[in-house]
Structures are given as structure tokens and as C-alpha cells.
């Protein structure tokens, strides 16, 4: 009986090391919607842009690895989030 109890305790300890979202993660996050859509042209210079992901993202990582450029070079912008949507607002 002691051995059986130890196995159960050890099993629960290992299960506690993972978050519940890890147990059901079936793949990488995807971009499900965006504005403008891929390949769009003629977007106004001050248009608010956004990218919506299929699941919650590491927001700091997305912000750190995002850059915004135009044909005239780098663009200053504000960034914000609404749920899984990353919003880019040119300054």
C-alpha cells in the first residue's frame, strides 16, 4: 500500500510541473486575422494595424520581436493588446 501511495504522490508532483494549457496545446500559435490583410496595398500612413493570434501569446516576446517599417524607413508606433489581438498605432 505504501508503494502505491508513493507512486500516486510522485505522479501528482510531476503533473503539477505543467500548466493545464501545456497539457492541451496541439501546435504553434497562428495568425487568424490581420489588418491589413496579407498583400494589401494603399494603406494610409496612420492606419491602425492589428494581428490576431489563435491563442494567448507571450506579449513581451511579440513586442520585442516586432518591427514596423515603410518604404521610407522605420516607423514610430504605440503598441497595445486586446485579448489575443496585437494592435499597432503609428505615431
Amino acid at each position: 500500500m505504501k508503494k502505491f501511495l508513493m507512486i500516486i504522490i510522485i505522479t501528482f508532483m510531476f503533473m503539477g510541473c505543467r500548466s493545464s494549457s501545456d497539457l492541451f496545446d496541439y501546435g504553434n500559435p497562428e495568425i487568424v486575422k490581420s489588418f491589413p490583410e496579407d498583400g494589401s496595398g494603399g494603406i494610409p500612413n496612420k492606419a491602425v494595424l492589428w494581428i490576431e493570434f489563435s491563442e494567448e501569446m507571450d506579449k513581451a516576446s511579440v513586442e520585442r520581436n516586432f518591427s514596423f517599417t515603410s518604404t521610407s524607413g522605420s516607423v514610430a508606433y504605440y503598441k497595445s493588446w486586446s485579448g489575443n489581438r496585437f494592435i499597432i498605432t503609428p505615431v
Side-chain angles (χ1 to χ4, degrees):
M1 182 68 170
K2 270 187 171 180
K3 187 176 182 180
F4 177 72
L5 213 49
M6 286 301 288
I7 291 172
I8 289 176
I9 290 170
I10 291 170
T11 302
F12 280 111
M13 286 173 53
F14 282 112
M15 287 177 64
C17 294
R18 298 182 60 149
S19 72
S20 60
S21 63
D22 289 341
L23 297 174
F24 302 104
D25 193 355
Y26 297 109
N28 295 325
E30 297 178 5
I31 295 174
V32 293
K33 294 180 187 174
S34 66
F35 178 81
E37 292 183 4
D38 189 24
S40 296
I43 309 303
N45 290 343
K46 297 291 182 177
V48 175
L49 314 172
W50 52 265
I51 303 166
E52 188 170 326
F53 297 96
S54 60
E55 60 186 70
E56 187 174 340
M57 301 295 290
D58 177 343
K59 294 175 180 173
S61 176
V62 172
E63 292 174 14
R64 211 175 27 255
N65 291 291
F66 180 82
S67 64
F68 186 31
T69 58
S70 73
T71 54
S72 58
S74 186
V75 176
Y77 60 92
Y78 296 109
K79 52 193 174 252
S80 61
W81 289 86
S82 177
N84 294 341
R85 185 176 285 189
F86 178 48
I87 304 165
I88 303 100
T89 307
V91 177

